[in-house]
Amino acid sequence: DPHVDAAEERAAGRLLTPSRPITFYIDPSVPERWRRAMKRGVENWQAAFEQAGWANAIVAVLPGDEAFPSDYSAADSRYASISWAVSLQEVYSVGTHTFDPRTGEIMDADIMFSHSWVSAWANDFDADAAGAPARTGTGAGGSDNGSPHRHHGKVY
């Protein structure tokens, strides 16, 4: 609402609702078994947005949801996406974005996970959860000793 004074609302402890939430579309390339986890991962950021004063600031849309666009394409800059790459050789994930340099508004953001990255992370998670020392570090981000994370000889 353009008539709402954001400073007054925040001073009163009320959350603001954006005119358009940040929306990530889970690409159909993401295997079914990971889609709900990807959606939860996106929407778990809501708590951080609420602490920053925003309600309903971020959502994820799954293929088949009513809100999933019929003309969706991961290459279309109208749709922020999370997609999957089939890779048994390389372990990687990437995130790119396009922003308006005049305002700082993020216009598009795309995240791609490789199958090998998710597998490495899941294997480390399973080992950590079982109480066994993880053979590749402590999660996909790195190891306890600050050295790079290794999986099948790859560093990431």
Side-chain angles (χ1 to χ4, degrees), residues 42-54:
V42 168
E43 293 179 350
N44 280 344
W45 280 94
Q46 186 56 45
F49 282 101
E50 287 174 0
Q51 287 188 0
W54 296 97

Side-chain angles (χ1 to χ4, degrees), residues 17-80:
T17 302
S19 58
R20 261 182 331 151
I22 299 166
T23 303
F24 277 94
Y25 295 91
I26 309 300
D27 190 86
S29 65
V30 174
E32 289 274 344
R33 79 177 276 210
W34 295 109
R35 289 180 186 176
R36 294 237 176 257
M38 299 282 180
K39 179 179 174 71
R40 276 193 316 271
V42 168
E43 293 179 350
N44 280 344
W45 280 94
Q46 186 56 45
F49 282 101
E50 287 174 0
Q51 287 188 0
W54 296 97
N56 306 316
I58 189 165
V59 297
V61 181
L62 295 169
D65 286 355
E66 187 175 321
F68 200 86
S70 61
D71 64 345
Y72 167 83
S73 168
D76 189 328
S77 65
R78 294 177 296 162
Y79 305 119

